[in-house]
Amino acid sequence: MPKDLLIVESPAKARTISKYLGPGYEVVASLGHIKDLPPNTLGVDIEDDFAPSYVTIKGKEKTITSLRKAAKDKGTIYLGPDPDREGEAIAWHIAESLGREKHNFKRVLLHELTPRAIKEAMASPVDISLPRFESQQTRRILDRLMGYLISPLLWGKLKRGLSAGRVQSVALRLVVEREREIFAFVPEEYWTITAALEKDGEEFEATLVKIGGEKAQPKTKEETDRIVSRLEGSGLLVKSIVTKDKKRNPSPPFTTSSLQQAAFTRFGYTPTRTMRVAQQLYEGLQLPKGVIGLITYMRTDSVRVSDSAAQEAERLVKERFGPSYLPASRNFYRNKKGAQDAHECVRPTSISRDPEAIKNSLSQEQQNLYSLVWSRFVASQMAPAVYQQTTVELEAGDLLFRASGSVVKFKGFSVVYSAPKEEDELNILLALKEGEILNPKAVKPEQHFTQPPPRFNEATLVKELEDKGIGRPSTYAAIISILRQKGYAEGQKGQLRPTEMGFAVNDLLVENFPELLNVAFTADLEEDLDHIEEGQAERLSILNKLYKPLASNLKTADKKMANIKIHGLKVDVPCGSCGKSGHMTIRYGRNGFYLHCAECKATSDFTRSEKGEPVPVRDPVLKEEFVCEKCGRPMVLKKGPYGHFLACSGYPECRSTLPLTIADGVAEPRTLGPPPDIPEGTDLVCPKCGKTMVLKRAGTGHWFFGCPGYPKCRTTKPFPTEFGCPNKGCDGFLAEKKTRRGTFYGCTNYPSCLFGTNSVPVKDPCPVCGFPYRLEKESKDGEKTVYCPNPECPEHPPEADKPKSRGYKKPAPAKSSAGAGKTVRGKKTLKDEGGGKSAAPPKRGAKKRAPLKKNEERADEK
């Protein structure tokens, strides 16, 4: 009897499943999509009802060949890619590539990778869903139309390599509009008044909430002082004391977006990192009892819980915490409008796998995320937390003050996930009695100002996209990643602040494609895709819904869209040189955005004021005139990608440069001191031409060895320090190296030795092992720590230099064929936000084929 074949997406998933299916099955992986729209052309025939032209993804030819080989002489072929639209498209294209008429194909939906779930899915396969495939195909075509038809406009008007996208551009619009809300915000002054009170030796505070029955809203210091003066010499009468119990219900189990938000808040994980770790937990990890998937499928917008999972959680809660921690009836949660509900929530595959019990089998980030999923799901099936809240109102004439406090009476779900906030004032407030008078120890007026709306961070942007119905759970991480990769947004610790490029791209798109960049229009398209999957809509009508306004806008945008490279965007700021207004534009050049005056032709860099207005940045003034040390010509002030510097006016005959020190707008050459002593044993022979290398100084101020045959020979070597490489078996030295991201120290034997560190070597022998120097590391908070670089020393931290210090490896033997393995940068290709990867760059050194003569064909093309 022939074996059956199961095809899944990833090798990790295949390894997990193969352990539970037994010898009657062979499990192989497709490594994701095998077919996609072509990378260098539109690939959609608009005239033929938007018919797509799929091609095999470059590099997947071998995968298809191996799948065909595995499918030969098999019984049933089960297709088990992820249970979503993308997985349905992968299954469809696999069946198409292997031949639908040759094999018996069945679709299996693997929502979790546990022995029970795998066997149940294999026992109840279904047919490939045509509506779900059509939904994915429509989404793919929509993204391709917008990406490939609009992006070239941005290339010509602003910068090559920019991109537009159906969801990406709307997400950028949200970020830009939030920033402009911050620019336009005008803070308003307001004051609060609190009274410090005492009862039985314990203090508490009460806040003024009403004046004469109206909400207390003092706006100025004078108004506040008048209110404070009315309290002088008077006490506060306890008017009422209200104590009541309040319940706090648990949150529903995780969806994709809520998991991304919680992981960002708890651990600072970006959505991309969260999804990467969640994928590992879903596909299966090695535990003491074998490889098993720890969580259910992580791309879902549903909070639905299966009966078996809910019952398992109820048993655990009852055994571990007692019956009182179970709700009177099972907790059910309602999905948000538009949720697909194709899968359950994100939950543990088994509640019995406690995070603490398996933590030694997980990495730290896997442990963090699994604990978060486990505790949130268990808590969602538990009873509410109950806390007692006391509110006291005190009055002095028509001034009403209020104090409140709470304490937990029953912890409920909070024993597992997020305890309610406790306040210490409750016992004090319970000691009060109605009618008694308390004399304030102090009255504290405090000035405040209203705050602008906060900038989006990666978690809050995910929430905003979800709330507005833009995109789907599987796309949030990718969209935010694109905003950063394209340089449209930046910010530390997950914050998203639009860059000048982000402002420019958004303004061009919103002005020329207003309907397509409309939030409601984009959300409607997402609902339309759901309707296609449900069989309630046809893809052609949805494609025409986007293409008609797109085609109309494209005709006018090519002529009307502002060319920022040539004409720029007009801004109402005075010129820093001639002082005239109305002539300034923001333009884009090879060094970025700059201000240009049409009147006097002056240019300058600029920054943004608190209101978002461009502010010209004046070039520094030279402290005095300087002459070139080499040729005697005057030195002139120039600016490059790394800032201002001095360059010889005799360029290109003389290429002398000097770095600058700028203080209070005055620039002078940076004092570099004499050339350093060359350490003994330093090899100064050029490995390419054999000439003796000379010591040179870069424009950034650091020293290096260069070949005197420059520019014919451009060989350089880093200048070594006196500190030897700590990798065992390596005889190299540490050398200071500079990149755009800063300075680091790497081994002079690179690439044979890959040691590198951002820490600074200091002449301080290790007191434990006697290593001749130590490394000094500075944290983000400015705190400095010193550690030993010797990996065998007890004082060497395990995590030190982990990303870059990859040990010592011997040089690889030289290859016999010249140029083998070398690559050059390939030509840029169009990419849309749903797209696959572009073709690999061509190899340098490959022989060019001679042109074919008429009626001639190559042997390998027959």
Side-chain angles (χ1 to χ4, degrees), residues 827-858:
K827 293 182 179 179
K828 289 187 177 179
T829 59
L830 287 163
K831 289 185 182 180
D832 53 296
E833 65 187 33
K837 297 178 180 178
S838 60
K843 290 186 177 181
R844 182 184 295 166
K847 293 182 179 179
K848 293 184 178 179
R849 288 177 160 186
L852 291 173
K853 296 178 181 179
K854 190 175 182 180
N855 299 326
E856 183 183 1
E857 60 181 352
R858 302 188 196 281

PDB file of all heavy atoms in Angstrom, residues 827-858:
ATOM      1  N   LYS A 827      20.102  45.194 -10.137  1.00  0.00           N
ATOM      2  CA  LYS A 827      19.278  46.353 -10.470  1.00  0.00           C
ATOM      3  C   LYS A 827      18.072  46.392  -9.555  1.00  0.00           C
ATOM      4  O   LYS A 827      17.564  45.385  -9.114  1.00  0.00           O
ATOM      5  CB  LYS A 827      18.822  46.261 -11.928  1.00  0.00           C
ATOM      6  CG  LYS A 827      19.964  46.401 -12.928  1.00  0.00           C
ATOM      7  CD  LYS A 827      19.420  46.346 -14.340  1.00  0.00           C
ATOM      8  CE  LYS A 827      20.540  46.509 -15.358  1.00  0.00           C
ATOM      9  NZ  LYS A 827      20.029  46.440 -16.747  1.00  0.00           N
ATOM     10  N   LYS A 828      17.601  47.606  -9.284  1.00  0.00           N
ATOM     11  CA  LYS A 828      16.428  47.733  -8.443  1.00  0.00           C
ATOM     12  C   LYS A 828      15.209  47.188  -9.179  1.00  0.00           C
ATOM     13  O   LYS A 828      15.050  47.367 -10.377  1.00  0.00           O
ATOM     14  CB  LYS A 828      16.192  49.195  -8.074  1.00  0.00           C
ATOM     15  CG  LYS A 828      17.225  49.724  -7.098  1.00  0.00           C
ATOM     16  CD  LYS A 828      16.845  51.095  -6.633  1.00  0.00           C
ATOM     17  CE  LYS A 828      17.840  51.605  -5.584  1.00  0.00           C
ATOM     18  NZ  LYS A 828      17.515  52.936  -5.126  1.00  0.00           N
ATOM     19  N   THR A 829      14.339  46.530  -8.435  1.00  0.00           N
ATOM     20  CA  THR A 829      13.118  46.008  -9.012  1.00  0.00           C
ATOM     21  C   THR A 829      11.942  46.547  -8.245  1.00  0.00           C
ATOM     22  O   THR A 829      12.052  46.918  -7.076  1.00  0.00           O
ATOM     23  CB  THR A 829      13.093  44.470  -8.944  1.00  0.00           C
ATOM     24  OG1 THR A 829      13.204  44.065  -7.585  1.00  0.00           O
ATOM     25  CG2 THR A 829      14.233  43.862  -9.745  1.00  0.00           C
ATOM     26  N   LEU A 830      10.804  46.579  -8.909  1.00  0.00           N
ATOM     27  CA  LEU A 830       9.592  47.029  -8.249  1.00  0.00           C
ATOM     28  C   LEU A 830       9.158  46.004  -7.222  1.00  0.00           C
ATOM     29  O   LEU A 830       9.275  44.806  -7.430  1.00  0.00           O
ATOM     30  CB  LEU A 830       8.479  47.209  -9.282  1.00  0.00           C
ATOM     31  CG  LEU A 830       8.592  48.424 -10.206  1.00  0.00           C
ATOM     32  CD1 LEU A 830       7.683  48.234 -11.401  1.00  0.00           C
ATOM     33  CD2 LEU A 830       8.233  49.690  -9.467  1.00  0.00           C
ATOM     34  N   LYS A 831       8.644  46.497  -6.105  1.00  0.00           N
ATOM     35  CA  LYS A 831       8.091  45.596  -5.092  1.00  0.00           C
ATOM     36  C   LYS A 831       6.806  46.204  -4.572  1.00  0.00           C
ATOM     37  O   LYS A 831       6.723  47.399  -4.347  1.00  0.00           O
ATOM     38  CB  LYS A 831       9.064  45.400  -3.923  1.00  0.00           C
ATOM     39  CG  LYS A 831      10.285  44.568  -4.280  1.00  0.00           C
ATOM     40  CD  LYS A 831      11.119  44.323  -3.045  1.00  0.00           C
ATOM     41  CE  LYS A 831      12.371  43.527  -3.366  1.00  0.00           C
ATOM     42  NZ  LYS A 831      13.195  43.275  -2.185  1.00  0.00           N
ATOM     43  N   ASP A 832       5.783  45.373  -4.366  1.00  0.00           N
ATOM     44  CA  ASP A 832       4.571  45.836  -3.733  1.00  0.00           C
ATOM     45  C   ASP A 832       4.497  45.215  -2.356  1.00  0.00           C
ATOM     46  O   ASP A 832       5.183  44.259  -2.054  1.00  0.00           O
ATOM     47  CB  ASP A 832       3.338  45.466  -4.563  1.00  0.00           C
ATOM     48  CG  ASP A 832       3.289  43.993  -4.886  1.00  0.00           C
ATOM     49  OD1 ASP A 832       4.177  43.492  -5.596  1.00  0.00           O
ATOM     50  OD2 ASP A 832       2.369  43.346  -4.399  1.00  0.00           O
ATOM     51  N   GLU A 833       3.624  45.771  -1.503  1.00  0.00           N
ATOM     52  CA  GLU A 833       3.687  45.395  -0.097  1.00  0.00           C
ATOM     53  C   GLU A 833       3.311  43.954   0.168  1.00  0.00           C
ATOM     54  O   GLU A 833       3.634  43.407   1.213  1.00  0.00           O
ATOM     55  CB  GLU A 833       2.782  46.308   0.740  1.00  0.00           C
ATOM     56  CG  GLU A 833       1.312  46.176   0.410  1.00  0.00           C
ATOM     57  CD  GLU A 833       0.485  47.204   1.138  1.00  0.00           C
ATOM     58  OE1 GLU A 833       0.971  48.304   1.367  1.00  0.00           O
ATOM     59  OE2 GLU A 833      -0.652  46.887   1.469  1.00  0.00           O
ATOM     60  N   GLY A 834       2.689  43.276  -0.746  1.00  0.00           N
ATOM     61  CA  GLY A 834       2.379  41.866  -0.546  1.00  0.00           C
ATOM     62  C   GLY A 834       3.324  40.975  -1.299  1.00  0.00           C
ATOM     63  O   GLY A 834       3.142  39.777  -1.353  1.00  0.00           O
ATOM     64  N   GLY A 835       4.361  41.562  -1.928  1.00  0.00           N
ATOM     65  CA  GLY A 835       5.134  40.865  -2.935  1.00  0.00           C
ATOM     66  C   GLY A 835       6.164  39.904  -2.429  1.00  0.00           C
ATOM     67  O   GLY A 835       6.553  39.887  -1.282  1.00  0.00           O
ATOM     68  N   GLY A 836       6.634  39.108  -3.381  1.00  0.00           N
ATOM     69  CA  GLY A 836       7.709  38.187  -3.088  1.00  0.00           C
ATOM     70  C   GLY A 836       9.044  38.849  -3.296  1.00  0.00           C
ATOM     71  O   GLY A 836       9.144  40.028  -3.613  1.00  0.00           O
ATOM     72  N   LYS A 837      10.110  38.069  -3.141  1.00  0.00           N
ATOM     73  CA  LYS A 837      11.459  38.621  -3.232  1.00  0.00           C
ATOM     74  C   LYS A 837      11.846  38.772  -4.703  1.00  0.00           C
ATOM     75  O   LYS A 837      11.417  38.028  -5.568  1.00  0.00           O
ATOM     76  CB  LYS A 837      12.440  37.700  -2.519  1.00  0.00           C
ATOM     77  CG  LYS A 837      12.154  37.583  -1.027  1.00  0.00           C
ATOM     78  CD  LYS A 837      13.107  36.620  -0.375  1.00  0.00           C
ATOM     79  CE  LYS A 837      12.826  36.490   1.107  1.00  0.00           C
ATOM     80  NZ  LYS A 837      13.709  35.522   1.750  1.00  0.00           N
ATOM     81  N   SER A 838      12.698  39.761  -4.953  1.00  0.00           N
ATOM     82  CA  SER A 838      13.175  39.960  -6.307  1.00  0.00           C
ATOM     83  C   SER A 838      14.264  38.944  -6.625  1.00  0.00           C
ATOM     84  O   SER A 838      14.775  38.246  -5.754  1.00  0.00           O
ATOM     85  CB  SER A 838      13.720  41.378  -6.471  1.00  0.00           C
ATOM     86  OG  SER A 838      14.782  41.576  -5.576  1.00  0.00           O
ATOM     87  N   ALA A 839      14.629  38.908  -7.893  1.00  0.00           N
ATOM     88  CA  ALA A 839      15.621  37.932  -8.326  1.00  0.00           C
ATOM     89  C   ALA A 839      16.965  38.197  -7.691  1.00  0.00           C
ATOM     90  O   ALA A 839      17.305  39.319  -7.348  1.00  0.00           O
ATOM     91  CB  ALA A 839      15.744  37.990  -9.845  1.00  0.00           C
ATOM     92  N   ALA A 840      17.766  37.116  -7.505  1.00  0.00           N
ATOM     93  CA  ALA A 840      19.092  37.261  -6.918  1.00  0.00           C
ATOM     94  C   ALA A 840      19.988  38.021  -7.875  1.00  0.00           C
ATOM     95  O   ALA A 840      19.825  37.948  -9.094  1.00  0.00           O
ATOM     96  CB  ALA A 840      19.682  35.873  -6.649  1.00  0.00           C
ATOM     97  N   PRO A 841      20.949  38.815  -7.354  1.00  0.00           N
ATOM     98  CA  PRO A 841      21.832  39.577  -8.230  1.00  0.00           C
ATOM     99  C   PRO A 841      22.728  38.654  -9.036  1.00  0.00           C
ATOM    100  O   PRO A 841      23.061  37.554  -8.607  1.00  0.00           O
ATOM    101  CB  PRO A 841      22.647  40.424  -7.249  1.00  0.00           C
ATOM    102  CG  PRO A 841      22.575  39.706  -5.959  1.00  0.00           C
ATOM    103  CD  PRO A 841      21.239  39.038  -5.935  1.00  0.00           C
ATOM    104  N   PRO A 842      23.128  39.092 -10.242  1.00  0.00           N
ATOM    105  CA  PRO A 842      23.962  38.241 -11.087  1.00  0.00           C
ATOM    106  C   PRO A 842      25.360  38.098 -10.525  1.00  0.00           C
ATOM    107  O   PRO A 842      25.834  38.971  -9.803  1.00  0.00           O
ATOM    108  CB  PRO A 842      23.979  38.994 -12.419  1.00  0.00           C
ATOM    109  CG  PRO A 842      23.742  40.420 -12.039  1.00  0.00           C
ATOM    110  CD  PRO A 842      22.836  40.375 -10.853  1.00  0.00           C
ATOM    111  N   LYS A 843      26.033  37.000 -10.828  1.00  0.00           N
ATOM    112  CA  LYS A 843      27.382  36.776 -10.346  1.00  0.00           C
ATOM    113  C   LYS A 843      28.397  37.452 -11.257  1.00  0.00           C
ATOM    114  O   LYS A 843      28.304  37.401 -12.476  1.00  0.00           O
ATOM    115  CB  LYS A 843      27.679  35.279 -10.279  1.00  0.00           C
ATOM    116  CG  LYS A 843      26.905  34.565  -9.177  1.00  0.00           C
ATOM    117  CD  LYS A 843      27.341  33.122  -9.063  1.00  0.00           C
ATOM    118  CE  LYS A 843      26.621  32.434  -7.905  1.00  0.00           C
ATOM    119  NZ  LYS A 843      27.036  31.045  -7.745  1.00  0.00           N
ATOM    120  N   ARG A 844      29.355  38.124 -10.602  1.00  0.00           N
ATOM    121  CA  ARG A 844      30.429  38.734 -11.367  1.00  0.00           C
ATOM    122  C   ARG A 844      31.376  37.638 -11.875  1.00  0.00           C
ATOM    123  O   ARG A 844      31.651  36.669 -11.186  1.00  0.00           O
ATOM    124  CB  ARG A 844      31.194  39.717 -10.479  1.00  0.00           C
ATOM    125  CG  ARG A 844      32.307  40.435 -11.211  1.00  0.00           C
ATOM    126  CD  ARG A 844      33.072  41.307 -10.241  1.00  0.00           C
ATOM    127  NE  ARG A 844      32.240  42.369  -9.730  1.00  0.00           N
ATOM    128  CZ  ARG A 844      32.578  43.111  -8.677  1.00  0.00           C
ATOM    129  NH1 ARG A 844      33.702  42.873  -8.033  1.00  0.00           N
ATOM    130  NH2 ARG A 844      31.783  44.055  -8.262  1.00  0.00           N
ATOM    131  N   GLY A 845      31.882  37.811 -13.036  1.00  0.00           N
ATOM    132  CA  GLY A 845      32.833  36.837 -13.584  1.00  0.00           C
ATOM    133  C   GLY A 845      32.179  35.791 -14.458  1.00  0.00           C
ATOM    134  O   GLY A 845      32.864  35.007 -15.117  1.00  0.00           O
ATOM    135  N   ALA A 846      30.835  35.752 -14.502  1.00  0.00           N
ATOM    136  CA  ALA A 846      30.178  34.769 -15.350  1.00  0.00           C
ATOM    137  C   ALA A 846      30.377  35.140 -16.815  1.00  0.00           C
ATOM    138  O   ALA A 846      30.301  36.304 -17.185  1.00  0.00           O
ATOM    139  CB  ALA A 846      28.682  34.715 -15.009  1.00  0.00           C
ATOM    140  N   LYS A 847      30.650  34.134 -17.620  1.00  0.00           N
ATOM    141  CA  LYS A 847      30.906  34.408 -19.031  1.00  0.00           C
ATOM    142  C   LYS A 847      29.622  34.806 -19.735  1.00  0.00           C
ATOM    143  O   LYS A 847      28.576  34.212 -19.539  1.00  0.00           O
ATOM    144  CB  LYS A 847      31.497  33.165 -19.702  1.00  0.00           C
ATOM    145  CG  LYS A 847      32.894  32.800 -19.193  1.00  0.00           C
ATOM    146  CD  LYS A 847      33.440  31.601 -19.935  1.00  0.00           C
ATOM    147  CE  LYS A 847      34.845  31.252 -19.449  1.00  0.00           C
ATOM    148  NZ  LYS A 847      35.377  30.063 -20.161  1.00  0.00           N
ATOM    149  N   LYS A 848      29.738  35.836 -20.565  1.00  0.00           N
ATOM    150  CA  LYS A 848      28.587  36.274 -21.333  1.00  0.00           C
ATOM    151  C   LYS A 848      28.375  35.339 -22.518  1.00  0.00           C
ATOM    152  O   LYS A 848      29.319  34.936 -23.188  1.00  0.00           O
ATOM    153  CB  LYS A 848      28.783  37.708 -21.827  1.00  0.00           C
ATOM    154  CG  LYS A 848      28.798  38.728 -20.708  1.00  0.00           C
ATOM    155  CD  LYS A 848      28.884  40.128 -21.270  1.00  0.00           C
ATOM    156  CE  LYS A 848      28.850  41.162 -20.165  1.00  0.00           C
ATOM    157  NZ  LYS A 848      28.951  42.540 -20.694  1.00  0.00           N
ATOM    158  N   ARG A 849      27.128  35.032 -22.777  1.00  0.00           N
ATOM    159  CA  ARG A 849      26.831  34.183 -23.919  1.00  0.00           C
ATOM    160  C   ARG A 849      26.867  34.992 -25.207  1.00  0.00           C
ATOM    161  O   ARG A 849      26.415  36.143 -25.237  1.00  0.00           O
ATOM    162  CB  ARG A 849      25.444  33.573 -23.755  1.00  0.00           C
ATOM    163  CG  ARG A 849      25.390  32.498 -22.665  1.00  0.00           C
ATOM    164  CD  ARG A 849      23.984  32.006 -22.526  1.00  0.00           C
ATOM    165  NE  ARG A 849      23.929  30.712 -21.894  1.00  0.00           N
ATOM    166  CZ  ARG A 849      22.811  30.016 -21.756  1.00  0.00           C
ATOM    167  NH1 ARG A 849      21.679  30.497 -22.203  1.00  0.00           N
ATOM    168  NH2 ARG A 849      22.826  28.833 -21.179  1.00  0.00           N
ATOM    169  N   ALA A 850      27.385  34.366 -26.258  1.00  0.00           N
ATOM    170  CA  ALA A 850      27.402  35.019 -27.552  1.00  0.00           C
ATOM    171  C   ALA A 850      25.986  35.070 -28.106  1.00  0.00           C
ATOM    172  O   ALA A 850      25.162  34.185 -27.835  1.00  0.00           O
ATOM    173  CB  ALA A 850      28.310  34.255 -28.515  1.00  0.00           C
ATOM    174  N   PRO A 851      25.644  36.121 -28.848  1.00  0.00           N
ATOM    175  CA  PRO A 851      24.286  36.202 -29.424  1.00  0.00           C
ATOM    176  C   PRO A 851      24.037  35.055 -30.392  1.00  0.00           C
ATOM    177  O   PRO A 851      24.938  34.598 -31.098  1.00  0.00           O
ATOM    178  CB  PRO A 851      24.293  37.555 -30.125  1.00  0.00           C
ATOM    179  CG  PRO A 851      25.726  37.858 -30.367  1.00  0.00           C
ATOM    180  CD  PRO A 851      26.480  37.255 -29.237  1.00  0.00           C
ATOM    181  N   LEU A 852      22.824  34.564 -30.399  1.00  0.00           N
ATOM    182  CA  LEU A 852      22.465  33.452 -31.264  1.00  0.00           C
ATOM    183  C   LEU A 852      22.277  33.922 -32.704  1.00  0.00           C
ATOM    184  O   LEU A 852      21.788  35.028 -32.959  1.00  0.00           O
ATOM    185  CB  LEU A 852      21.162  32.806 -30.788  1.00  0.00           C
ATOM    186  CG  LEU A 852      21.242  32.056 -29.459  1.00  0.00           C
ATOM    187  CD1 LEU A 852      19.839  31.631 -29.060  1.00  0.00           C
ATOM    188  CD2 LEU A 852      22.147  30.859 -29.541  1.00  0.00           C
ATOM    189  N   LYS A 853      22.670  33.067 -33.615  1.00  0.00           N
ATOM    190  CA  LYS A 853      22.407  33.346 -35.017  1.00  0.00           C
ATOM    191  C   LYS A 853      20.997  32.870 -35.359  1.00  0.00           C
ATOM    192  O   LYS A 853      20.354  32.153 -34.616  1.00  0.00           O
ATOM    193  CB  LYS A 853      23.429  32.627 -35.891  1.00  0.00           C
ATOM    194  CG  LYS A 853      24.851  33.111 -35.674  1.00  0.00           C
ATOM    195  CD  LYS A 853      25.833  32.347 -36.528  1.00  0.00           C
ATOM    196  CE  LYS A 853      27.259  32.821 -36.283  1.00  0.00           C
ATOM    197  NZ  LYS A 853      28.247  32.061 -37.101  1.00  0.00           N
ATOM    198  N   LYS A 854      20.519  33.298 -36.498  1.00  0.00           N
ATOM    199  CA  LYS A 854      19.175  32.948 -36.922  1.00  0.00           C
ATOM    200  C   LYS A 854      19.036  31.425 -37.011  1.00  0.00           C
ATOM    201  O   LYS A 854      19.916  30.728 -37.500  1.00  0.00           O
ATOM    202  CB  LYS A 854      18.885  33.596 -38.280  1.00  0.00           C
ATOM    203  CG  LYS A 854      17.423  33.484 -38.695  1.00  0.00           C
ATOM    204  CD  LYS A 854      17.182  34.250 -39.995  1.00  0.00           C
ATOM    205  CE  LYS A 854      15.713  34.162 -40.371  1.00  0.00           C
ATOM    206  NZ  LYS A 854      15.444  34.901 -41.640  1.00  0.00           N
ATOM    207  N   ASN A 855      17.888  30.909 -36.538  1.00  0.00           N
ATOM    208  CA  ASN A 855      17.560  29.479 -36.563  1.00  0.00           C
ATOM    209  C   ASN A 855      18.486  28.634 -35.694  1.00  0.00           C
ATOM    210  O   ASN A 855      18.554  27.423 -35.832  1.00  0.00           O
ATOM    211  CB  ASN A 855      17.593  28.924 -38.000  1.00  0.00           C
ATOM    212  CG  ASN A 855      16.586  29.616 -38.893  1.00  0.00           C
ATOM    213  OD1 ASN A 855      15.518  29.993 -38.423  1.00  0.00           O
ATOM    214  ND2 ASN A 855      16.919  29.773 -40.169  1.00  0.00           N
ATOM    215  N   GLU A 856      19.247  29.282 -34.782  1.00  0.00           N
ATOM    216  CA  GLU A 856      20.128  28.534 -33.884  1.00  0.00           C
ATOM    217  C   GLU A 856      19.500  28.457 -32.509  1.00  0.00           C
ATOM    218  O   GLU A 856      18.863  29.404 -32.051  1.00  0.00           O
ATOM    219  CB  GLU A 856      21.497  29.227 -33.800  1.00  0.00           C
ATOM    220  CG  GLU A 856      22.501  28.486 -32.935  1.00  0.00           C
ATOM    221  CD  GLU A 856      23.808  29.241 -32.821  1.00  0.00           C
ATOM    222  OE1 GLU A 856      23.903  30.348 -33.397  1.00  0.00           O
ATOM    223  OE2 GLU A 856      24.723  28.748 -32.162  1.00  0.00           O
ATOM    224  N   GLU A 857      19.653  27.364 -31.811  1.00  0.00           N
ATOM    225  CA  GLU A 857      19.138  27.248 -30.458  1.00  0.00           C
ATOM    226  C   GLU A 857      20.192  26.582 -29.581  1.00  0.00           C
ATOM    227  O   GLU A 857      21.052  25.847 -30.054  1.00  0.00           O
ATOM    228  CB  GLU A 857      17.849  26.430 -30.412  1.00  0.00           C
ATOM    229  CG  GLU A 857      17.992  25.014 -30.920  1.00  0.00           C
ATOM    230  CD  GLU A 857      16.675  24.275 -30.869  1.00  0.00           C
ATOM    231  OE1 GLU A 857      15.696  24.816 -30.309  1.00  0.00           O
ATOM    232  OE2 GLU A 857      16.642  23.160 -31.365  1.00  0.00           O
ATOM    233  N   ARG A 858      20.135  26.910 -28.263  1.00  0.00           N
ATOM    234  CA  ARG A 858      21.116  26.363 -27.339  1.00  0.00           C
ATOM    235  C   ARG A 858      20.724  24.941 -26.949  1.00  0.00           C
ATOM    236  O   ARG A 858      19.552  24.592 -26.854  1.00  0.00           O
ATOM    237  CB  ARG A 858      21.207  27.231 -26.079  1.00  0.00           C
ATOM    238  CG  ARG A 858      21.567  28.677 -26.382  1.00  0.00           C
ATOM    239  CD  ARG A 858      21.845  29.426 -25.086  1.00  0.00           C
ATOM    240  NE  ARG A 858      21.824  30.863 -25.297  1.00  0.00           N
ATOM    241  CZ  ARG A 858      22.838  31.562 -25.831  1.00  0.00           C
ATOM    242  NH1 ARG A 858      23.929  30.933 -26.197  1.00  0.00           N
ATOM    243  NH2 ARG A 858      22.737  32.865 -25.989  1.00  0.00           N
TER     244      ARG A 858
END
